[in-house]
Every structure is written in C-alpha cells, then in structure tokens.
C-alpha cells in the first residue's frame, strides 16, 4: 500500500481526511509532531507556515510514495510557495478540501495548487458521502 503524506496549513482538513479515509478510528493529537497512522503520515500545519520547518517536511517525505498538498477551498489565501511540489521528488496530488462548503471557491484553490506545482488536483469533502471518491481513486 502506498504511503501517503499530507501537508497543508493549520485547519486545512488534513486530520479529518485521514480519519475519514481510515474508517473513523484516527484520533489526532495536537502538537508540533509528525504523526504516523497506518499508511498515513500527518504533518503539523506549522511546518508549512514557517519556512524554518520546510526541511522537516522534505526529510519526512522521504518515507512516502505520494504527497497530498491540502488546500482549503474556503480560504482566500494559500501558504504553498510557488514551485513547491517538485522539491519533494514524489508524486504530488493537490487536494481541494471542504468542497461541500458553500464558501468553497474551486478555481481559486486550483490556482493556488497549480502555482505550487501540483499537476493532479482532486476535490474532497469529509461531509458528503461521495466526497472522498476521487481521492480514494488516487490512493488505490
Ligand atoms: N465543511 C467541512 N469542514 C471540514 C472538512 N474537513 C475538515 N473540516 C473542518 O475543518 C476544521 C479543521 O480540520 P482538521 O482536520 O483538524 O485540520 P488539520 O489540517 O488537521 O489542522 P491542523 O492539525 O491544525 O494542522 C475542523 O473544524 C473540521 O471539522 C470538510 O470536508 N468539510
Ligand atoms: Mg491535524
């Protein structure tokens, strides 16, 4: 099974995605630590928010096959730097989270992810029943 690492700013929905994809068992711990849960590697939002921690993301990514860059569809800003994805030397998929939200703006989120270097982009929601179908296909 592919090992999957998630990065994204605080509140982007990383832990919620892991919980939904792994059958609701995962209970996230807050704090500035990388968490390993089955095939998933969860990273603190702070690692993206402070470039001093980029090295931690890059070295942790050595353990994964697939990197998910999680962008909140409701956020009008993004902390993913331009051309970030190629640094990781992994398959990178951009995930537009909270796609169920009425404030979701897909073209905006897509632009953020494209500029960050994601070549594949999927929409995801942990609220709607079919919200994870596209992401599950990517993970299979
Ligand atoms: N509407 C909606 N809300 C969501 C969705 N996913 C997550 N949320 C909400 O967004 C908030 C943050 O979600 P988390 O999964 O804790 O975010 P995180 O990326 O793990 O955040 P940190 O651990 O702080 O870095 C929570 O209040 C969730 O309920 C979604 O698909 N739809
Ligand atoms: Mg979390």
């Amino acid at each position: 099974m592919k090992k999957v690492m998630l990065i994204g700013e605080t509140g982007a929905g990383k832990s919620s995605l892991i919980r939904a994809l792994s059958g609701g068992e995962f209970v996230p711990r807050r704090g500035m630590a990388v968490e390993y849960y089955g095939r998933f590697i969860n990273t603190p939002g702070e690692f993206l928010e402070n470039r001093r921690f980029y090295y931690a993301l890059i070295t942790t990514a050595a353990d994964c096959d697939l990197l998910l860059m999680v962008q909140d569809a409701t956020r009008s800003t993004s902390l993913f730097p331009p051309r970030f994805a190629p640094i990781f030397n992994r398959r990178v998929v951009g995930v537009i989270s909270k796609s169920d939200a009425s404030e979701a703006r897909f073209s905006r989120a897509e632009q953020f992810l494209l500029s960050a270097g994601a070549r594949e982009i999927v929409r995801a929601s942990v609220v709607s029943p079919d919200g994870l179908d596209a992401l599950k296909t990517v993970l299979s």
Side-chain angles (χ1 to χ4, degrees), residues 8-19 26 28-31 35 42-46 49 70 72 74 97-103 124-128:
E9 57 194 89
T10 303
K14 303 176 296 296
S15 301
S16 303
L17 287 171
I18 294 175
R19 186 163 46 245
F26 170 67
R29 284 168 288 137
R30 275 299 304 154
E35 291 178 297
N42 197 13
T43 61
E46 289 84 353
E49 287 154 15
V70 182
D72 184 337
T74 69
S97 62
K98 311 188 191 180
S99 63
D100 61 278
S102 56
E103 326 87 271
S125 168
V126 300
V127 173
S128 67

PDB file of all heavy atoms in Angstrom, residues 8-19 26 28-31 35 42-46 49 70 72 74 97-103 124-128, ligand 1:
ATOM      1  N   GLY A   8      -0.304  20.832   4.645  1.00  0.00           N
ATOM      2  CA  GLY A   8      -1.303  21.887   4.461  1.00  0.00           C
ATOM      3  C   GLY A   8      -1.352  22.724   5.723  1.00  0.00           C
ATOM      4  O   GLY A   8      -0.947  22.269   6.793  1.00  0.00           O
ATOM      5  N   GLU A   9      -1.859  23.936   5.585  1.00  0.00           N
ATOM      6  CA  GLU A   9      -1.822  24.823   6.736  1.00  0.00           C
ATOM      7  C   GLU A   9      -2.787  24.371   7.834  1.00  0.00           C
ATOM      8  O   GLU A   9      -3.632  23.497   7.623  1.00  0.00           O
ATOM      9  CB  GLU A   9      -2.042  26.282   6.326  1.00  0.00           C
ATOM     10  CG  GLU A   9      -3.304  26.567   5.578  1.00  0.00           C
ATOM     11  CD  GLU A   9      -3.256  27.954   4.916  1.00  0.00           C
ATOM     12  OE1 GLU A   9      -2.789  28.066   3.770  1.00  0.00           O
ATOM     13  OE2 GLU A   9      -3.678  28.913   5.560  1.00  0.00           O
ATOM     14  N   THR A  10      -2.630  24.960   9.006  1.00  0.00           N
ATOM     15  CA  THR A  10      -3.461  24.639  10.159  1.00  0.00           C
ATOM     16  C   THR A  10      -4.944  24.787   9.797  1.00  0.00           C
ATOM     17  O   THR A  10      -5.343  25.812   9.240  1.00  0.00           O
ATOM     18  CB  THR A  10      -3.129  25.603  11.323  1.00  0.00           C
ATOM     19  OG1 THR A  10      -1.736  25.492  11.602  1.00  0.00           O
ATOM     20  CG2 THR A  10      -3.913  25.240  12.572  1.00  0.00           C
ATOM     21  N   GLY A  11      -5.712  23.756  10.087  1.00  0.00           N
ATOM     22  CA  GLY A  11      -7.151  23.820   9.825  1.00  0.00           C
ATOM     23  C   GLY A  11      -7.547  23.471   8.401  1.00  0.00           C
ATOM     24  O   GLY A  11      -8.728  23.559   8.046  1.00  0.00           O
ATOM     25  N   ALA A  12      -6.598  23.070   7.568  1.00  0.00           N
ATOM     26  CA  ALA A  12      -6.911  22.769   6.169  1.00  0.00           C
ATOM     27  C   ALA A  12      -7.784  21.524   6.023  1.00  0.00           C
ATOM     28  O   ALA A  12      -8.460  21.351   5.009  1.00  0.00           O
ATOM     29  CB  ALA A  12      -5.626  22.602   5.365  1.00  0.00           C
ATOM     30  N   GLY A  13      -7.730  20.647   7.033  1.00  0.00           N
ATOM     31  CA  GLY A  13      -8.551  19.437   6.983  1.00  0.00           C
ATOM     32  C   GLY A  13      -7.764  18.146   6.852  1.00  0.00           C
ATOM     33  O   GLY A  13      -8.329  17.097   6.523  1.00  0.00           O
ATOM     34  N   LYS A  14      -6.463  18.182   7.134  1.00  0.00           N
ATOM     35  CA  LYS A  14      -5.606  17.003   6.989  1.00  0.00           C
ATOM     36  C   LYS A  14      -6.051  15.861   7.900  1.00  0.00           C
ATOM     37  O   LYS A  14      -6.232  14.724   7.462  1.00  0.00           O
ATOM     38  CB  LYS A  14      -4.139  17.353   7.302  1.00  0.00           C
ATOM     39  CG  LYS A  14      -3.570  18.468   6.455  1.00  0.00           C
ATOM     40  CD  LYS A  14      -2.152  18.841   6.871  1.00  0.00           C
ATOM     41  CE  LYS A  14      -2.053  19.392   8.267  1.00  0.00           C
ATOM     42  NZ  LYS A  14      -2.755  20.668   8.476  1.00  0.00           N
ATOM     43  N   SER A  15      -6.222  16.171   9.191  1.00  0.00           N
ATOM     44  CA  SER A  15      -6.601  15.127  10.147  1.00  0.00           C
ATOM     45  C   SER A  15      -7.982  14.557   9.821  1.00  0.00           C
ATOM     46  O   SER A  15      -8.201  13.344   9.929  1.00  0.00           O
ATOM     47  CB  SER A  15      -6.595  15.679  11.574  1.00  0.00           C
ATOM     48  OG  SER A  15      -5.307  16.163  11.899  1.00  0.00           O
ATOM     49  N   SER A  16      -8.889  15.427   9.411  1.00  0.00           N
ATOM     50  CA  SER A  16     -10.239  14.977   9.055  1.00  0.00           C
ATOM     51  C   SER A  16     -10.195  14.015   7.872  1.00  0.00           C
ATOM     52  O   SER A  16     -10.917  13.014   7.844  1.00  0.00           O
ATOM     53  CB  SER A  16     -11.126  16.176   8.704  1.00  0.00           C
ATOM     54  OG  SER A  16     -11.180  17.088   9.770  1.00  0.00           O
ATOM     55  N   LEU A  17      -9.341  14.313   6.904  1.00  0.00           N
ATOM     56  CA  LEU A  17      -9.221  13.424   5.744  1.00  0.00           C
ATOM     57  C   LEU A  17      -8.690  12.060   6.161  1.00  0.00           C
ATOM     58  O   LEU A  17      -9.197  11.025   5.727  1.00  0.00           O
ATOM     59  CB  LEU A  17      -8.302  14.052   4.691  1.00  0.00           C
ATOM     60  CG  LEU A  17      -8.875  15.226   3.896  1.00  0.00           C
ATOM     61  CD1 LEU A  17      -7.783  15.880   3.064  1.00  0.00           C
ATOM     62  CD2 LEU A  17     -10.018  14.763   2.998  1.00  0.00           C
ATOM     63  N   ILE A  18      -7.671  12.056   7.025  1.00  0.00           N
ATOM     64  CA  ILE A  18      -7.095  10.780   7.467  1.00  0.00           C
ATOM     65  C   ILE A  18      -8.150   9.977   8.225  1.00  0.00           C
ATOM     66  O   ILE A  18      -8.307   8.772   8.010  1.00  0.00           O
ATOM     67  CB  ILE A  18      -5.841  11.010   8.341  1.00  0.00           C
ATOM     68  CG1 ILE A  18      -4.722  11.624   7.504  1.00  0.00           C
ATOM     69  CG2 ILE A  18      -5.382   9.699   8.998  1.00  0.00           C
ATOM     70  CD1 ILE A  18      -3.476  12.003   8.296  1.00  0.00           C
ATOM     71  N   ARG A  19      -8.893  10.661   9.082  1.00  0.00           N
ATOM     72  CA  ARG A  19      -9.935   9.959   9.836  1.00  0.00           C
ATOM     73  C   ARG A  19     -10.975   9.357   8.892  1.00  0.00           C
ATOM     74  O   ARG A  19     -11.323   8.189   9.009  1.00  0.00           O
ATOM     75  CB  ARG A  19     -10.603  10.906  10.842  1.00  0.00           C
ATOM     76  CG  ARG A  19     -11.594  10.206  11.759  1.00  0.00           C
ATOM     77  CD  ARG A  19     -11.938  11.022  13.003  1.00  0.00           C
ATOM     78  NE  ARG A  19     -12.234  12.423  12.683  1.00  0.00           N
ATOM     79  CZ  ARG A  19     -11.503  13.452  13.081  1.00  0.00           C
ATOM     80  NH1 ARG A  19     -10.436  13.259  13.831  1.00  0.00           N
ATOM     81  NH2 ARG A  19     -11.837  14.675  12.750  1.00  0.00           N
ATOM     82  N   PHE A  26      -8.934   7.158  13.528  1.00  0.00           N
ATOM     83  CA  PHE A  26      -7.794   8.021  13.846  1.00  0.00           C
ATOM     84  C   PHE A  26      -8.206   9.191  14.741  1.00  0.00           C
ATOM     85  O   PHE A  26      -9.124   9.927  14.434  1.00  0.00           O
ATOM     86  CB  PHE A  26      -7.191   8.543  12.536  1.00  0.00           C
ATOM     87  CG  PHE A  26      -6.165   9.626  12.700  1.00  0.00           C
ATOM     88  CD1 PHE A  26      -4.951   9.358  13.311  1.00  0.00           C
ATOM     89  CD2 PHE A  26      -6.409  10.904  12.235  1.00  0.00           C
ATOM     90  CE1 PHE A  26      -3.991  10.360  13.441  1.00  0.00           C
ATOM     91  CE2 PHE A  26      -5.461  11.908  12.351  1.00  0.00           C
ATOM     92  CZ  PHE A  26      -4.249  11.631  12.957  1.00  0.00           C
ATOM     93  N   PRO A  28      -6.574  12.497  16.133  1.00  0.00           N
ATOM     94  CA  PRO A  28      -5.356  13.302  16.022  1.00  0.00           C
ATOM     95  C   PRO A  28      -4.936  13.891  17.359  1.00  0.00           C
ATOM     96  O   PRO A  28      -5.774  14.220  18.192  1.00  0.00           O
ATOM     97  CB  PRO A  28      -5.750  14.413  15.047  1.00  0.00           C
ATOM     98  CG  PRO A  28      -7.224  14.500  15.128  1.00  0.00           C
ATOM     99  CD  PRO A  28      -7.726  13.155  15.513  1.00  0.00           C
ATOM    100  N   ARG A  29      -3.658  13.980  17.554  1.00  0.00           N
ATOM    101  CA  ARG A  29      -3.125  14.704  18.708  1.00  0.00           C
ATOM    102  C   ARG A  29      -2.656  16.049  18.210  1.00  0.00           C
ATOM    103  O   ARG A  29      -2.010  16.143  17.174  1.00  0.00           O
ATOM    104  CB  ARG A  29      -1.937  13.943  19.310  1.00  0.00           C
ATOM    105  CG  ARG A  29      -2.336  12.725  20.125  1.00  0.00           C
ATOM    106  CD  ARG A  29      -1.119  11.878  20.421  1.00  0.00           C
ATOM    107  NE  ARG A  29      -0.674  11.201  19.209  1.00  0.00           N
ATOM    108  CZ  ARG A  29       0.596  11.084  18.821  1.00  0.00           C
ATOM    109  NH1 ARG A  29       1.559  11.603  19.535  1.00  0.00           N
ATOM    110  NH2 ARG A  29       0.917  10.453  17.715  1.00  0.00           N
ATOM    111  N   ARG A  30      -2.986  17.095  18.911  1.00  0.00           N
ATOM    112  CA  ARG A  30      -2.471  18.395  18.505  1.00  0.00           C
ATOM    113  C   ARG A  30      -1.039  18.496  18.991  1.00  0.00           C
ATOM    114  O   ARG A  30      -0.623  17.830  19.912  1.00  0.00           O
ATOM    115  CB  ARG A  30      -3.314  19.534  19.100  1.00  0.00           C
ATOM    116  CG  ARG A  30      -4.528  19.873  18.284  1.00  0.00           C
ATOM    117  CD  ARG A  30      -4.163  20.334  16.860  1.00  0.00           C
ATOM    118  NE  ARG A  30      -3.243  21.455  16.872  1.00  0.00           N
ATOM    119  CZ  ARG A  30      -2.398  21.738  15.900  1.00  0.00           C
ATOM    120  NH1 ARG A  30      -2.317  20.982  14.854  1.00  0.00           N
ATOM    121  NH2 ARG A  30      -1.625  22.779  15.986  1.00  0.00           N
ATOM    122  N   GLY A  31      -0.289  19.311  18.344  1.00  0.00           N
ATOM    123  CA  GLY A  31       1.087  19.480  18.756  1.00  0.00           C
ATOM    124  C   GLY A  31       1.978  19.411  17.556  1.00  0.00           C
ATOM    125  O   GLY A  31       1.562  18.967  16.496  1.00  0.00           O
ATOM    126  N   GLU A  35       2.842  12.690  12.762  1.00  0.00           N
ATOM    127  CA  GLU A  35       2.102  11.522  13.260  1.00  0.00           C
ATOM    128  C   GLU A  35       2.060  10.452  12.174  1.00  0.00           C
ATOM    129  O   GLU A  35       1.736  10.751  11.023  1.00  0.00           O
ATOM    130  CB  GLU A  35       0.654  11.903  13.586  1.00  0.00           C
ATOM    131  CG  GLU A  35       0.489  12.816  14.765  1.00  0.00           C
ATOM    132  CD  GLU A  35      -0.978  13.168  14.963  1.00  0.00           C
ATOM    133  OE1 GLU A  35      -1.567  13.799  14.075  1.00  0.00           O
ATOM    134  OE2 GLU A  35      -1.523  12.783  15.999  1.00  0.00           O
ATOM    135  N   ASN A  42       0.889  12.301   8.901  1.00  0.00           N
ATOM    136  CA  ASN A  42       0.249  13.600   9.092  1.00  0.00           C
ATOM    137  C   ASN A  42       1.292  14.594   9.588  1.00  0.00           C
ATOM    138  O   ASN A  42       2.089  14.268  10.465  1.00  0.00           O
ATOM    139  CB  ASN A  42      -0.883  13.461  10.121  1.00  0.00           C
ATOM    140  CG  ASN A  42      -1.858  14.622  10.080  1.00  0.00           C
ATOM    141  OD1 ASN A  42      -1.855  15.429   9.144  1.00  0.00           O
ATOM    142  ND2 ASN A  42      -2.709  14.702  11.092  1.00  0.00           N
ATOM    143  N   THR A  43       1.273  15.788   9.021  1.00  0.00           N
ATOM    144  CA  THR A  43       2.264  16.784   9.435  1.00  0.00           C
ATOM    145  C   THR A  43       1.561  18.000  10.021  1.00  0.00           C
ATOM    146  O   THR A  43       0.456  18.335   9.616  1.00  0.00           O
ATOM    147  CB  THR A  43       3.133  17.211   8.230  1.00  0.00           C
ATOM    148  OG1 THR A  43       2.305  17.797   7.218  1.00  0.00           O
ATOM    149  CG2 THR A  43       3.890  16.029   7.661  1.00  0.00           C
ATOM    150  N   PRO A  44       2.182  18.655  10.991  1.00  0.00           N
ATOM    151  CA  PRO A  44       1.551  19.832  11.596  1.00  0.00           C
ATOM    152  C   PRO A  44       1.467  20.983  10.596  1.00  0.00           C
ATOM    153  O   PRO A  44       2.402  21.191   9.815  1.00  0.00           O
ATOM    154  CB  PRO A  44       2.506  20.207  12.740  1.00  0.00           C
ATOM    155  CG  PRO A  44       3.456  19.075  12.884  1.00  0.00           C
ATOM    156  CD  PRO A  44       3.496  18.362  11.577  1.00  0.00           C
ATOM    157  N   GLY A  45       0.369  21.722  10.661  1.00  0.00           N
ATOM    158  CA  GLY A  45       0.219  22.895   9.798  1.00  0.00           C
ATOM    159  C   GLY A  45       1.374  23.868   9.944  1.00  0.00           C
ATOM    160  O   GLY A  45       1.791  24.515   8.978  1.00  0.00           O
ATOM    161  N   GLU A  46       1.911  23.934  11.144  1.00  0.00           N
ATOM    162  CA  GLU A  46       3.005  24.876  11.415  1.00  0.00           C
ATOM    163  C   GLU A  46       4.237  24.601  10.541  1.00  0.00           C
ATOM    164  O   GLU A  46       5.013  25.516  10.264  1.00  0.00           O
ATOM    165  CB  GLU A  46       3.425  24.799  12.892  1.00  0.00           C
ATOM    166  CG  GLU A  46       2.418  25.382  13.870  1.00  0.00           C
ATOM    167  CD  GLU A  46       1.308  24.406  14.261  1.00  0.00           C
ATOM    168  OE1 GLU A  46       1.243  23.295  13.661  1.00  0.00           O
ATOM    169  OE2 GLU A  46       0.506  24.747  15.139  1.00  0.00           O
ATOM    170  N   GLU A  49       3.726  26.649   7.646  1.00  0.00           N
ATOM    171  CA  GLU A  49       3.539  28.067   7.935  1.00  0.00           C
ATOM    172  C   GLU A  49       4.845  28.782   8.261  1.00  0.00           C
ATOM    173  O   GLU A  49       4.889  30.005   8.257  1.00  0.00           O
ATOM    174  CB  GLU A  49       2.532  28.226   9.089  1.00  0.00           C
ATOM    175  CG  GLU A  49       1.112  27.917   8.609  1.00  0.00           C
ATOM    176  CD  GLU A  49       0.185  27.451   9.707  1.00  0.00           C
ATOM    177  OE1 GLU A  49       0.515  27.614  10.896  1.00  0.00           O
ATOM    178  OE2 GLU A  49      -0.878  26.903   9.368  1.00  0.00           O
ATOM    179  N   VAL A  70      -2.815  19.797   0.741  1.00  0.00           N
ATOM    180  CA  VAL A  70      -4.222  20.049   1.064  1.00  0.00           C
ATOM    181  C   VAL A  70      -4.480  21.550   1.135  1.00  0.00           C
ATOM    182  O   VAL A  70      -3.918  22.257   1.984  1.00  0.00           O
ATOM    183  CB  VAL A  70      -4.605  19.375   2.401  1.00  0.00           C
ATOM    184  CG1 VAL A  70      -6.088  19.602   2.697  1.00  0.00           C
ATOM    185  CG2 VAL A  70      -4.285  17.880   2.363  1.00  0.00           C
ATOM    186  N   ASP A  72      -7.514  24.334   1.573  1.00  0.00           N
ATOM    187  CA  ASP A  72      -8.894  24.583   2.000  1.00  0.00           C
ATOM    188  C   ASP A  72      -9.616  25.410   0.930  1.00  0.00           C
ATOM    189  O   ASP A  72      -9.195  26.521   0.614  1.00  0.00           O
ATOM    190  CB  ASP A  72      -8.833  25.337   3.333  1.00  0.00           C
ATOM    191  CG  ASP A  72     -10.185  25.593   3.962  1.00  0.00           C
ATOM    192  OD1 ASP A  72     -11.205  25.608   3.248  1.00  0.00           O
ATOM    193  OD2 ASP A  72     -10.210  25.794   5.195  1.00  0.00           O
ATOM    194  N   THR A  74     -12.208  27.044   1.104  1.00  0.00           N
ATOM    195  CA  THR A  74     -12.857  28.257   1.600  1.00  0.00           C
ATOM    196  C   THR A  74     -11.851  29.369   1.919  1.00  0.00           C
ATOM    197  O   THR A  74     -12.257  30.475   2.255  1.00  0.00           O
ATOM    198  CB  THR A  74     -13.671  27.969   2.882  1.00  0.00           C
ATOM    199  OG1 THR A  74     -12.783  27.677   3.964  1.00  0.00           O
ATOM    200  CG2 THR A  74     -14.610  26.782   2.685  1.00  0.00           C
ATOM    201  N   SER A  97      -9.823  20.721  -0.211  1.00  0.00           N
ATOM    202  CA  SER A  97     -10.636  20.193   0.882  1.00  0.00           C
ATOM    203  C   SER A  97     -11.858  21.070   1.146  1.00  0.00           C
ATOM    204  O   SER A  97     -11.931  22.206   0.673  1.00  0.00           O
ATOM    205  CB  SER A  97      -9.785  20.078   2.152  1.00  0.00           C
ATOM    206  OG  SER A  97      -9.333  21.355   2.539  1.00  0.00           O
ATOM    207  N   LYS A  98     -12.804  20.531   1.887  1.00  0.00           N
ATOM    208  CA  LYS A  98     -14.057  21.232   2.255  1.00  0.00           C
ATOM    209  C   LYS A  98     -14.869  21.629   1.033  1.00  0.00           C
ATOM    210  O   LYS A  98     -15.448  22.719   0.977  1.00  0.00           O
ATOM    211  CB  LYS A  98     -13.759  22.440   3.155  1.00  0.00           C
ATOM    212  CG  LYS A  98     -12.818  22.112   4.330  1.00  0.00           C
ATOM    213  CD  LYS A  98     -12.687  23.237   5.315  1.00  0.00           C
ATOM    214  CE  LYS A  98     -11.548  22.973   6.298  1.00  0.00           C
ATOM    215  NZ  LYS A  98     -11.377  24.033   7.285  1.00  0.00           N
ATOM    216  N   SER A  99     -14.883  20.750   0.038  1.00  0.00           N
ATOM    217  CA  SER A  99     -15.564  21.071  -1.216  1.00  0.00           C
ATOM    218  C   SER A  99     -17.076  21.185  -1.027  1.00  0.00           C
ATOM    219  O   SER A  99     -17.775  21.687  -1.892  1.00  0.00           O
ATOM    220  CB  SER A  99     -15.238  20.031  -2.288  1.00  0.00           C
ATOM    221  OG  SER A  99     -15.726  18.771  -1.897  1.00  0.00           O
ATOM    222  N   ASP A 100     -17.587  20.701   0.107  1.00  0.00           N
ATOM    223  CA  ASP A 100     -19.021  20.812   0.399  1.00  0.00           C
ATOM    224  C   ASP A 100     -19.418  22.208   0.855  1.00  0.00           C
ATOM    225  O   ASP A 100     -20.599  22.575   0.808  1.00  0.00           O
ATOM    226  CB  ASP A 100     -19.370  19.822   1.511  1.00  0.00           C
ATOM    227  CG  ASP A 100     -18.591  20.132   2.780  1.00  0.00           C
ATOM    228  OD1 ASP A 100     -17.417  19.714   2.876  1.00  0.00           O
ATOM    229  OD2 ASP A 100     -19.111  20.802   3.675  1.00  0.00           O
ATOM    230  N   ALA A 101     -18.461  22.997   1.322  1.00  0.00           N
ATOM    231  CA  ALA A 101     -18.787  24.272   1.967  1.00  0.00           C
ATOM    232  C   ALA A 101     -19.363  25.265   0.965  1.00  0.00           C
ATOM    233  O   ALA A 101     -18.924  25.328  -0.190  1.00  0.00           O
ATOM    234  CB  ALA A 101     -17.530  24.860   2.618  1.00  0.00           C
ATOM    235  N   SER A 102     -20.332  26.044   1.411  1.00  0.00           N
ATOM    236  CA  SER A 102     -20.964  26.999   0.491  1.00  0.00           C
ATOM    237  C   SER A 102     -19.979  28.081   0.064  1.00  0.00           C
ATOM    238  O   SER A 102     -20.106  28.649  -1.012  1.00  0.00           O
ATOM    239  CB  SER A 102     -22.201  27.624   1.134  1.00  0.00           C
ATOM    240  OG  SER A 102     -21.839  28.229   2.348  1.00  0.00           O
ATOM    241  N   GLU A 103     -18.970  28.355   0.903  1.00  0.00           N
ATOM    242  CA  GLU A 103     -17.979  29.375   0.546  1.00  0.00           C
ATOM    243  C   GLU A 103     -16.838  28.811  -0.299  1.00  0.00           C
ATOM    244  O   GLU A 103     -15.864  29.520  -0.564  1.00  0.00           O
ATOM    245  CB  GLU A 103     -17.357  30.040   1.782  1.00  0.00           C
ATOM    246  CG  GLU A 103     -18.248  30.234   2.986  1.00  0.00           C
ATOM    247  CD  GLU A 103     -18.249  29.001   3.881  1.00  0.00           C
ATOM    248  OE1 GLU A 103     -19.102  28.107   3.644  1.00  0.00           O
ATOM    249  OE2 GLU A 103     -17.426  28.915   4.779  1.00  0.00           O
ATOM    250  N   ALA A 124     -12.221  17.202  -2.435  1.00  0.00           N
ATOM    251  CA  ALA A 124     -12.555  16.260  -1.369  1.00  0.00           C
ATOM    252  C   ALA A 124     -13.420  16.921  -0.308  1.00  0.00           C
ATOM    253  O   ALA A 124     -13.331  18.127  -0.073  1.00  0.00           O
ATOM    254  CB  ALA A 124     -11.282  15.714  -0.725  1.00  0.00           C
ATOM    255  N   SER A 125     -14.256  16.100   0.284  1.00  0.00           N
ATOM    256  CA  SER A 125     -15.060  16.539   1.418  1.00  0.00           C
ATOM    257  C   SER A 125     -15.282  15.353   2.336  1.00  0.00           C
ATOM    258  O   SER A 125     -15.508  14.240   1.883  1.00  0.00           O
ATOM    259  CB  SER A 125     -16.415  17.051   0.933  1.00  0.00           C
ATOM    260  OG  SER A 125     -17.278  17.212   2.052  1.00  0.00           O
ATOM    261  N   VAL A 126     -15.186  15.595   3.627  1.00  0.00           N
ATOM    262  CA  VAL A 126     -15.460  14.507   4.574  1.00  0.00           C
ATOM    263  C   VAL A 126     -16.930  14.559   5.019  1.00  0.00           C
ATOM    264  O   VAL A 126     -17.359  13.749   5.824  1.00  0.00           O
ATOM    265  CB  VAL A 126     -14.543  14.578   5.824  1.00  0.00           C
ATOM    266  CG1 VAL A 126     -13.083  14.483   5.399  1.00  0.00           C
ATOM    267  CG2 VAL A 126     -14.779  15.835   6.638  1.00  0.00           C
ATOM    268  N   VAL A 127     -17.675  15.506   4.468  1.00  0.00           N
ATOM    269  CA  VAL A 127     -19.061  15.693   4.884  1.00  0.00           C
ATOM    270  C   VAL A 127     -20.035  14.962   3.966  1.00  0.00           C
ATOM    271  O   VAL A 127     -20.948  14.281   4.415  1.00  0.00           O
ATOM    272  CB  VAL A 127     -19.405  17.211   4.935  1.00  0.00           C
ATOM    273  CG1 VAL A 127     -20.881  17.424   5.204  1.00  0.00           C
ATOM    274  CG2 VAL A 127     -18.564  17.892   6.019  1.00  0.00           C
ATOM    275  N   SER A 128     -19.814  15.095   2.655  1.00  0.00           N
ATOM    276  CA  SER A 128     -20.740  14.446   1.731  1.00  0.00           C
ATOM    277  C   SER A 128     -20.317  12.993   1.510  1.00  0.00           C
ATOM    278  O   SER A 128     -19.130  12.684   1.530  1.00  0.00           O
ATOM    279  CB  SER A 128     -20.799  15.196   0.409  1.00  0.00           C
ATOM    280  OG  SER A 128     -19.564  15.084  -0.257  1.00  0.00           O
TER     281      SER A 128
HETATM  282  N1  LIG B   1     -17.325  21.635   5.842  1.00  0.00           N
HETATM  283  C1  LIG B   1     -16.223  20.908   6.024  1.00  0.00           C
HETATM  284  N2  LIG B   1     -15.435  21.113   7.119  1.00  0.00           N
HETATM  285  C2  LIG B   1     -14.323  20.359   7.260  1.00  0.00           C
HETATM  286  C3  LIG B   1     -13.966  19.366   6.307  1.00  0.00           C
HETATM  287  N3  LIG B   1     -12.806  18.799   6.695  1.00  0.00           N
HETATM  288  C4  LIG B   1     -12.450  19.417   7.860  1.00  0.00           C
HETATM  289  N4  LIG B   1     -13.351  20.349   8.213  1.00  0.00           N
HETATM  290  C5  LIG B   1     -13.298  21.204   9.417  1.00  0.00           C
HETATM  291  O1  LIG B   1     -12.121  21.995   9.394  1.00  0.00           O
HETATM  292  C6  LIG B   1     -11.543  22.105  10.687  1.00  0.00           C
HETATM  293  C7  LIG B   1     -10.083  21.706  10.683  1.00  0.00           C
HETATM  294  O2  LIG B   1      -9.959  20.352  10.315  1.00  0.00           O
HETATM  295  P1  LIG B   1      -8.680  19.468  10.729  1.00  0.00           P
HETATM  296  O3  LIG B   1      -8.841  18.153  10.046  1.00  0.00           O
HETATM  297  O4  LIG B   1      -8.484  19.455  12.194  1.00  0.00           O
HETATM  298  O5  LIG B   1      -7.498  20.304  10.069  1.00  0.00           O
HETATM  299  P2  LIG B   1      -5.928  19.972  10.104  1.00  0.00           P
HETATM  300  O6  LIG B   1      -5.413  20.253   8.732  1.00  0.00           O
HETATM  301  O7  LIG B   1      -5.672  18.618  10.640  1.00  0.00           O
HETATM  302  O8  LIG B   1      -5.364  21.105  11.075  1.00  0.00           O
HETATM  303  P3  LIG B   1      -4.031  21.079  11.998  1.00  0.00           P
HETATM  304  O9  LIG B   1      -3.909  19.728  12.629  1.00  0.00           O
HETATM  305  O10 LIG B   1      -4.294  22.157  12.989  1.00  0.00           O
HETATM  306  O11 LIG B   1      -2.869  21.415  11.118  1.00  0.00           O
HETATM  307  C8  LIG B   1     -12.408  21.246  11.606  1.00  0.00           C
HETATM  308  O12 LIG B   1     -13.287  22.089  12.305  1.00  0.00           O
HETATM  309  C9  LIG B   1     -13.162  20.342  10.662  1.00  0.00           C
HETATM  310  O13 LIG B   1     -14.419  19.981  11.154  1.00  0.00           O
HETATM  311  C10 LIG B   1     -14.846  19.155   5.169  1.00  0.00           C
HETATM  312  O14 LIG B   1     -14.632  18.314   4.285  1.00  0.00           O
HETATM  313  N5  LIG B   1     -15.948  19.956   5.090  1.00  0.00           N
END
